[in-house]
Each structure stands twice: as structure tokens, then as C-alpha cells.
Amino acid sequence: MKADEILKQVADETAVCTKCALQHSRKKAVPGEGPANAEIMFIGEGPGFYENEQGRPFVGQAGKFLDELLTGIGMKREQVFIGNVVKCRPPGNRDPLPEELSACGDYLERQIQAINPRVIVTLGRFSMARFLPNAKISDVHGQSYQLKGRTIVPMYHPAAALHQPSLRPMVEKDFKRLPDLIAHAVPAVDLGEEKVQEVKREPKQLSLF
Ligand code: URA
Ligand code: SF4
């Protein structure tokens, strides 16, 4: 199946998914959005109030800040894939529970496999924990890690910087490192002939920076 078909399939499945309790607080699932051949994937936590209303990721205050951060490094939201570790809204924006993260994990895994990004930016600790389970965000934010042929860059969640203004300059500084990390990122995981043919990358996407 082609990458965009897999993304569509994941979106369709999450819309009616009953694999965890978050199905009950779901108005619209938020599978994530962006090009199926994005070089960079941002992974947040889960939908908040506005995301749940609209079925789109990062459309509230944190999303506005994320847009600003992207603009600050000469990027547009349309160029990147933006998703979350859980696709349905935790009630009252509480933290996702371990069983919810694990129930929803397969959707994210399929998205990562389909998109095959060279760089994954994790936003916040739940997203970070998926790739760097023992890391502490205050120690590792803004650094890059090589994992299974991808570059993983853990960052503070933009909402954290909105609640704690002292984090803001740090988040901005971490973001400024991204173009360089992207330019020097390891090639995406080789998923074999079939995949290479299916997901056609535009090399010129990289010269944006
Ligand atoms: N915060 C997140 O982690 N994800 C969203 O989609 C919106 C806010
Ligand atoms: Fe299904 Fe994920 Fe929604 Fe839980 S959060 S109901 S696993 S789509």
C-alpha cells in the first residue's frame, strides 16, 4: 500500500476506534496531518479542546506557537507531518494513561513506517518516552539521537513554554537548531525496494534551508 493510503486508512480507523477509553471523550479523532513523504515529523501528546472539535492537530494556542516556531526557521506547517501519541482527547486534557498510549501506539507506528521521516521531533515527555524511555526532557531537549536510522530530536512541548515563560527562549533556541539537524540527518531507514518506489522523495525539499 502507498504511504498516503496507509495514512488515510489510519485516519479512517481512528475515527471509529474503540481500543481504549479515550473513545468516550472523542468528538473527532485527530490522526495528524501533513504530506505522506514529509522529511520531518512532529509528534505531540494528544488533542486538546479545539483539536477535538476540528479533528486537526495543534490548532489551539500551542499550535499557534508551533506555527510561529516553524515560521522562525523558514518552514511552513504544510511541509511537515504533525501528529500525536494519542489520537483522541484525554478528558480535561489530563495526561494520557499508559494503557491508552499502548493501545494507540500501533497507529503512530504505522504512520512512522508509511512516512519514513528522516527526523522525528518529539514534543513533550510522552512523545519523547516512546523513543527515549529513560531520558529526562530537561537534560536532553534540543539534542539529537540516532535511532534505527532516524534522527530523533526531543523538545519541550510548546504548551509548556506558554505555561512557563522562562522555557520560551530555550524552545526557540532548540528550534533554531532544526534546519542544521535536518540537513545533516541520517538518511531515512531503508525499507527496501518496494518502499523506495512507493514514496518518491523530492530531493529539492531539503534545499529549503
Ligand atoms: N497539544 C498536543 O500535544 N497536540 C495537539 O494536537 C494539540 C495540543
Ligand atoms: Fe483508539 Fe487511540 Fe482513540 Fe484510544 S486514543 S480510542 S486507541 S484512536
Side-chain angles (χ1 to χ4, degrees):
M1 215 188 299
K2 290 198 183 120
D4 56 346
E5 290 168 354
I6 297 170
L7 295 184
K8 168 82 167 58
Q9 197 179 52
V10 168
D12 290 347
E13 286 177 35
T14 58
V16 294
C17 177
T18 55
K19 288 203 286 183
C20 86
L22 295 183
Q23 63 179 296
H24 302 298
S25 44
R26 173 180 68 221
K27 197 160 175 183
K28 285 193 177 158
V30 181
E33 62 188 28
N37 64 350
E39 298 276 356
I40 315 156
M41 204 169 165
F42 287 85
I43 306 176
E45 191 172 310
F49 176 83
Y50 294 101
E51 291 78 20
N52 185 44
E53 295 291 315
Q54 297 179 33
R56 299 186 55 211
F58 284 93
V59 290
Q61 283 302 333
K64 222 174 267 173
F65 185 37
L66 179 60
D67 285 343
E68 277 175 40
L69 289 164
L70 286 169
T71 307
I73 54 169
M75 293 187 71
K76 291 198 184 82
R77 164 188 279 258
E78 294 73 32
Q79 294 174 282
V80 303
F81 190 91
I82 304 178
N84 283 307
V85 283
V86 291
K87 315 303 192 196
C88 305
R89 183 192 184 201
N93 294 351
R94 66 155 170 75
D95 289 347
L97 300 172
E99 60 265 32
E100 295 160 354
L101 290 161
S102 119
C104 212
D106 179 56
Y107 294 123
L108 181 59
E109 189 54 37
R110 282 157 66 194
Q111 291 173 318
I112 294 170
Q113 291 298 322
I115 296 166
N116 196 20
R118 303 198 321 156
V119 178
I120 292 179
V121 179
T122 63
L123 301 172
R125 58 205 167 92
F126 291 100
S127 171
M128 175 185 74
R130 187 185 170 96
F131 303 94
L132 308 166
N134 300 315
K136 239 177 95 188
I137 188 91
S138 53
D139 292 338
V140 302
H141 68 91
Q143 297 181 33
S144 60
Y145 295 84
Q146 306 306 323
L147 193 71
K148 296 188 198 154
R150 296 185 210 288
T151 300
I152 312 289
V153 191
M155 299 229 183
Y156 279 106
H157 196 290
L162 294 179
H163 293 138
Q164 215 178 315
S166 61
L167 287 180
R168 200 179 163 119
M170 212 136 63
V171 171
E172 286 167 351
K173 191 166 158 228
D174 288 350
F175 247 76
K176 292 258 150 60
R177 290 198 61 217
L178 269 183
D180 199 44
L181 290 176
I182 294 162
H184 297 104
V186 288
V189 187
D190 182 1
L191 296 175
E193 274 296 298
E194 201 188 336
K195 182 75 194 180
V196 171
Q197 283 169 2
E198 281 179 349
V199 183
K200 292 202 183 69
R201 292 185 184 286
E202 297 289 333
K204 61 177 182 326
Q205 241 180 302
L206 283 177
S207 59
L208 289 162
F209 309 104

